[in-house]
Amino acid sequence: TKDYYLMLFQLTSRQYELMTGAMTPYNRQYYSTKPKLTAGGISKNMVNAETSPILALNLRARCAGLARARFDLPTEAQWEYACRAGTTTRYYFGDDPAALADHAWYTDKTTTPSWGHNVQEPGLLLPNPWGFYDMYGNQGQLMKDESNTYAEGDETHPVVDPCYTKPGGNIIYRGTGTWGSAASNRSSARSYTTAASTSCCLRLAFTCE
């Protein structure tokens, strides 16, 4: 019920470096084999650090006089709404996983479930009907939500336990990644990791209330 913007592409290592002045762990590890335009490995701890790209963007927004503007991680609800793009099928292109190779980098396509060397530059495959690229595969995308359990009943603008500093919390990510199978790369699929894991990337949301 509230308008929001979402990045069409996953945040690249080069974009992260331009905003924070630092390289992502992914870029440091695979610099010799992958370009800086590759989606960078980022952890939830990095999102909450003083060098966070979200903090950098919000500071620039304030300096530009946009007092009500806010960059943040998307909630699961925001991400899935954008991913589905008005569809109700398993994938935004239908129920047949045979077409997934045209839309996602995933285990069955890359043949190797190692996420590092198989992460690709965002935007090389087909987008969903609303123009969002790599909603499935490539790298898991960090969410604002931090619990692995949905609340019972319907909710409006749900955010599950958005306490970034909760010790031992489950960090939700969507989109799975190159290590996921076709079955795990679907619009409703959700997984979780630790706050220190750098196996995910960012796709930022923007609101202006």
Side-chain angles (χ1 to χ4, degrees):
T1 63
K2 294 181 180 179
D3 292 335
Y4 68 99
Y5 294 90
L6 191 68
M7 289 179 63
L8 294 179
F9 304 94
Q10 297 172 339
L11 190 78
T12 68
S13 295
R14 178 56 177 161
Q15 289 172 322
Y16 180 91
E17 186 177 13
L18 287 172
M19 286 187 285
T20 67
M23 297 176 69
T24 66
Y26 174 88
N27 223 26
R28 286 196 298 269
Q29 185 175 2
Y30 299 105
Y31 185 81
S32 62
T33 59
K34 288 291 180 181
K36 292 185 177 182
L37 292 179
T38 302
I42 298 173
S43 70
K44 198 62 171 285
N45 287 342
M46 293 167 63
V47 172
N48 303 323
E50 292 182 357
T51 55
S52 167
I54 293 178
L55 293 178
L57 287 172
N58 283 327
L59 177 60
R60 294 183 186 185
R62 299 297 177 273
C63 292
L66 302 175
R68 297 188 299 169
R70 179 174 177 78
F71 290 89
D72 206 343
L73 294 176
T75 65
E76 284 196 84
Q78 289 174 326
W79 186 93
E80 188 167 331
Y81 181 80
C83 177
R84 288 188 176 278
T87 66
T88 58
T89 49
R90 288 171 61 85
Y91 308 96
Y92 55 69
F93 50 78
D95 291 313
D96 187 358
L100 186 61
D102 294 328
H103 299 262
W105 300 99
Y106 64 105
T107 297
D108 298 350
K109 179 174 182 174
T110 61
T111 70
T112 306
S114 171
W115 73 270
H117 292 287
N118 288 328
V119 175
Q120 304 293 321
E121 178 182 338
L124 297 179
L125 301 177
L126 296 178
N128 77 354
W130 287 356
F132 293 99
Y133 291 83
D134 300 292
M135 295 302 282
Y136 310 134
N138 209 29
Q139 255 190 318
Q141 299 156 62
L142 289 173
M143 299 290 105
K144 188 172 183 177
D145 309 69
E146 289 203 353
S147 171
N148 198 38
T149 303
Y150 284 138
E152 295 184 5
D154 294 337
E155 291 185 293
T156 301
H157 307 298
V159 182
V160 185
D161 295 340
C163 179
Y164 294 162
T165 58
K166 182 176 62 177
N170 294 327
I171 309 304
I172 301 297
Y173 67 89
R174 291 297 200 105
T176 308
T178 59
W179 59 88
S181 64
S184 64
N185 276 286
R186 62 190 192 280
S187 298
S188 62
R190 58 199 301 260
S191 303
Y192 64 93
T193 185
T194 65
S197 172
T198 57
S199 61
C200 292
C201 69
L202 301 184
R203 185 189 299 270
L204 302 181
F206 175 80
T207 57
C208 189
E209 300 179 353

